[in-house]
Amino acid sequence: MADLRIAVGDAELAASWTDENPETRDALAAALPVEGDAARWGDELYFSVPVDVPPENTREAVPVGAVAYWPRGDALCLFWGPTPASTDDEPRAASPVAVVAEIDDTGPLADVDGGARVGVERR
């Protein structure tokens, strides 16, 4: 069962926590619910969150559906395809991110045109 409800515009997505970055995940969980106006960068949306944690197990290449914390910008990122930093179809962040959750079905994100209002809360 999914742990998180993610609203992107009119779409509702489900996501589950991962264990890759437990300290980052716990800091984000403590800040929930969060929401903001997201910017789009390729097939990535990102928005500021009230979380400030040091880099944990960060990386630039992430799987499709990754929900990741970007320490450099104190932002939460949703990845569903290539970004300007990608060299193939694999999503790639502008700088290292900490993956904290994975979206069950990224299909609705294909309809996002530009930025969107994003909200994340516990399910």
Side-chain angles (χ1 to χ4, degrees):
M1 178 162 179
D3 302 306
L4 301 170
R5 179 184 161 282
I6 302 174
V8 179
D10 293 333
E12 185 174 315
L13 310 170
S16 299
W17 292 121
T18 62
D19 294 327
E20 189 175 332
N21 293 285
E23 291 176 24
T24 306
R25 177 196 63 217
D26 292 349
L28 181 61
L32 293 178
V34 295
E35 66 179 330
D37 291 321
R40 184 168 177 173
W41 192 60
D43 286 350
E44 172 194 345
L45 288 174
Y46 63 95
F47 67 102
S48 294
V49 292
V51 174
D52 183 12
V53 293
E56 201 170 348
N57 297 310
T58 58
R59 55 189 168 130
E60 291 179 6
V62 299
V64 169
V67 178
Y69 173 71
W70 182 36
R72 196 177 210 182
D74 292 334
L76 196 63
C77 311
L78 311 178
F79 294 91
W80 70 94
T83 67
S86 297
T87 57
D88 53 22
D89 289 341
E90 182 177 50
R92 184 171 285 275
S95 60
V97 295
V99 175
V100 294
E102 189 171 315
I103 297 169
D104 297 343
D105 176 14
T106 62
L109 293 172
D111 295 331
V112 173
D113 185 25
R117 185 79 179 164
V118 178
V120 180
E121 63 186 29
R122 285 186 184 87
R123 218 164 203 209

